[in-house]
Amino acid sequence: MSAMNDQPEQRRYHHGDLRTALLEAAERSVRAHGAAQLSLRDLARAVGVSHAAPRRHFADRQELLDALAEEGFALLGENIRRALVDADEDFAARTRGTASAFAHFAVENPALLELMNSTKHQGAPSVARAAEAAFEPIFELIREGQAQDILEAGEPEELGLILYATINGITMLVNTNMVPAGRLDELTDTAVSQFLRGAAGGAGVGTISSARAGSRPPTPGCPVRARG
Amino acid sequence: MSAMNDQPEQRRYHHGDLRTALLEAAERSVRAHGAAQLSLRDLARAVGVSHAAPRRHFADRQELLDALAEEGFALLGENIRRALVDADEDFAARTRGTASAFAHFAVENPALLELMNSTKHQGAPSVARAAEAAFEPIFELIREGQAQDILEAGEPEELGLILYATINGITMLVNTNMVPAGRLDELTDTAVSQFLRGAAGGAGVGTISSARAGSRPPTPGCPVRARG
DNA sequence: CAACAGTGTTGTCAATGACTACATGATTCC
DNA sequence: GGAATCATGTAGTCATTGACAACACTGTTG
């Protein structure tokens, strides 16, 4: 709403880097008031340009929102990658760290996540590409687990998407106030535990794809399923 | 957008049941064009009342959207309950049926789901209550599984929320076009399988009796050491 | 029958997204 | 070096919208 003055410095006719300035202002605005409240004219005021200037960089309100969503996926990907390099070697710990990084990013940027989860940017291939880039480290993590025979063999994509979906869903419960924020860590923690158990390979039971997994030692008769 | 004429019949000064008429028109509109496109004035036109009439029933645009979200949760709850009474086989099949019902509802009503997952209705306790009512059958299902010693003991709420979150997240991947719709069943299926394994308690290991004999080959795994 | 409350109507306002025509400045090419 | 050209910003305009206020119609209740 209120035209947040940024640089009251006088500006020449051309702004110089209006596009990024708009995106930055937009990110602040979305963060503060949600995507639905975002007004192009307000952004223009905030940056100090005329109301029609944004149109040179975003043909459409939606186009700007798409760009923001894209940026959101890039940020998320960064966060996940950082969490993965920081984490130690233990696969379970790495998975936990990844999930936690995602969960906290989502809860700290609810409006951005909502934008990323919006159905509106279906026509924007750039957003899809950004999303895939954010998923990549997750898939890579799954491959790690499979290489260590901690996860069942099969498409790493499949497992990765399920993990992503689960954490995303949990944060959504928190962000919509259906679950108190205090339960976030607890929920993601048990979700990850269940994921590790449910997608366990090697000692795991009932791995459907065990027939295909040549490198896999034959699964013992039953249980083992090391509990805890 | 286009003022969809409903009943061209002439109407008396008072509509009779404007509130529900508006909600019905709103549901159609949201389903067709998304919540962001919904216009109160357009609804008024569609129903054949003046542009200010809706205000008597919804103080606010958001209030109408909240009512729609509430209705969405009621519908979802119905669907889940129906799926549960229809499938009274073993626990795994019931879980699979529940997940499938949710997943298909979500994918068939993307805009409605987006509304239900919106952060904007945080101030509306009615929406929260409706959501809880929709969760209830899921929690009840979890209690079943725990009673049969197929799921680990603990708060049924916890497991139920995780299951809900997972399916919700998967449908979101489909609804945002990040995953082709054709993979919906496959993804929910393996997600449920993993859930059952990951949250397994007592004896039940790898009871993956597939109800929808879809893409998944039946897994022999371990003998289902029966409950009770 | 008269007050009254519920509901619908008309009128109005500021804000917005989209569009057009025009201005200014930077880049390129002769 | 200067002109053509293109990118970028500006001013003006329009239809639409949500919100609000003042007023009209109608059934109910005392």
Side-chain angles (χ1 to χ4, degrees):
Chain A
M1 293 297 181
S2 52
M4 29 186 164
N5 283 346
D6 252 15
Q7 334 276 20
E9 319 164 7
Q10 62 179 357
R11 188 182 46 73
R12 283 194 189 66
Y13 193 92
H14 284 97
H15 177 283
D17 197 1
L18 181 54
R19 187 189 152 94
T20 52
L22 285 171
L23 278 177
E24 282 169 13
E27 190 180 330
R28 279 194 295 275
S29 173
V30 164
R31 216 181 282 275
H33 312 103
Q37 298 293 324
L38 185 107
S39 148
L40 291 181
R41 290 173 107 104
D42 207 18
L43 290 184
R45 279 189 288 270
V47 176
V49 294
S50 76
H51 66 263
R55 240 178 96 73
R56 293 285 173 208
H57 304 272
F58 304 97
D60 207 288
R61 200 184 104 105
Q62 187 57 45
E63 206 167 272
L64 193 155
L65 292 179
D66 288 351
L68 272 184
E70 199 180 327
E71 212 179 56
F73 277 112
L75 270 173
L76 172 62
E78 271 181 41
N79 273 39
I80 291 180
R81 276 175 228 272
R82 191 162 37 236
L84 275 173
V85 291
D86 287 0
D88 61 16
E89 306 238 333
D90 176 41
F91 178 74
R94 290 172 72 74
T95 307
R96 231 168 268 283
T98 301
S100 181
F102 179 14
H104 283 104
F105 176 82
V107 167
E108 282 159 19
N109 305 280
L112 203 55
L113 243 285
E114 200 166 358
L115 211 52
M116 292 154 65
N117 287 330
S118 165
T119 61
K120 300 256 272 326
H121 51 57
Q122 289 191 347
S126 58
V127 180
R129 256 175 295 144
E132 279 169 31
F135 292 165
E136 196 43 56
I138 300 181
F139 298 158
E140 185 52 41
L141 174 75
I142 300 292
R143 284 187 212 106
E144 279 182 29
Q146 290 176 327
Q148 297 176 29
D149 209 12
I150 295 173
L151 295 185
E152 66 183 9
E155 273 190 90
E157 232 202 37
E158 181 110 337
L159 293 189
L161 287 175
I162 289 178
L163 181 59
Y164 177 88
T166 301
I167 307 302
N168 197 7
I170 289 175
T171 64
M172 180 155 304
L173 288 173
V174 171
N175 282 342
T176 56
N177 262 1
M178 299 197 215
V179 161
R183 294 192 61 184
L184 176 69
D185 287 333
E186 166 203 344
L187 276 170
T188 69
D189 226 57
T190 64
V192 170
S193 296
Q194 289 189 8
F195 174 82
L196 290 175
R197 271 207 280 164
V205 188
T207 51
I208 313 115
S209 44
S210 40
R212 281 192 309 161
S215 63
R216 179 90 58 73
T219 63
C222 235
V224 185
R225 200 188 80 254
R227 171 80 139 108
Chain B
M1 295 301 175
S2 51
M4 30 188 165
N5 283 347
D6 252 13
Q7 331 276 19
E9 319 164 7
Q10 61 179 0
R11 186 182 47 75
R12 284 195 193 67
Y13 193 92
H14 285 98
H15 177 282
D17 198 1
L18 182 55
R19 187 190 151 94
T20 52
L22 285 171
L23 278 177
E24 282 169 12
E27 191 180 331
R28 279 195 295 276
S29 172
V30 164
R31 217 181 282 276
H33 311 103
Q37 299 293 323
L38 185 104
S39 146
L40 290 181
R41 289 173 107 106
D42 206 19
L43 290 184
R45 279 189 287 269
V47 176
V49 293
S50 75
H51 67 263
R55 242 178 93 73
R56 293 285 174 209
H57 302 273
F58 304 98
D60 206 283
R61 200 183 105 106
Q62 186 58 44
E63 207 168 270
L64 193 155
L65 292 179
D66 288 351
L68 273 184
E70 200 180 326
E71 213 179 55
F73 277 113
L75 270 173
L76 172 62
E78 271 180 41
N79 273 40
I80 291 180
R81 276 176 230 273
R82 192 162 37 236
L84 275 173
V85 293
D86 285 0
D88 58 345
E89 314 171 30
D90 69 334
F91 178 74
R94 291 171 70 72
T95 306
R96 232 168 264 285
T98 301
S100 181
F102 179 14
H104 283 105
F105 176 82
V107 166
E108 282 158 18
N109 304 280
L112 203 54
L113 243 286
E114 200 165 359
L115 210 51
M116 293 155 65
N117 287 331
S118 165
T119 59
K120 301 254 273 328
H121 51 55
Q122 289 190 347
S126 59
V127 180
R129 257 175 294 145
E132 281 170 29
F135 292 165
E136 196 43 56
I138 300 181
F139 297 159
E140 185 52 42
L141 175 76
I142 300 293
R143 284 188 211 102
E144 278 181 31
Q146 290 176 326
Q148 297 175 28
D149 209 11
I150 294 172
L151 294 186
E152 66 184 6
E155 272 189 274
E157 233 202 34
E158 180 109 338
L159 292 189
L161 287 175
I162 289 177
L163 181 59
Y164 177 88
T166 302
I167 307 301
N168 196 8
I170 289 175
T171 64
M172 179 155 303
L173 287 173
V174 171
N175 282 342
T176 55
N177 262 1
M178 298 198 216
V179 162
R183 294 192 62 184
L184 176 69
D185 287 333
E186 166 203 345
L187 276 169
T188 69
D189 225 57
T190 63
V192 170
S193 295
Q194 289 188 8
F195 175 81
L196 290 174
R197 270 206 282 164
V205 178
T207 55
I208 318 181
S209 63
S210 51
R212 51 184 319 113
S215 52
R216 185 155 303 287
T219 308
C222 296
V224 181
R225 210 177 71 192
R227 57 258 126 359

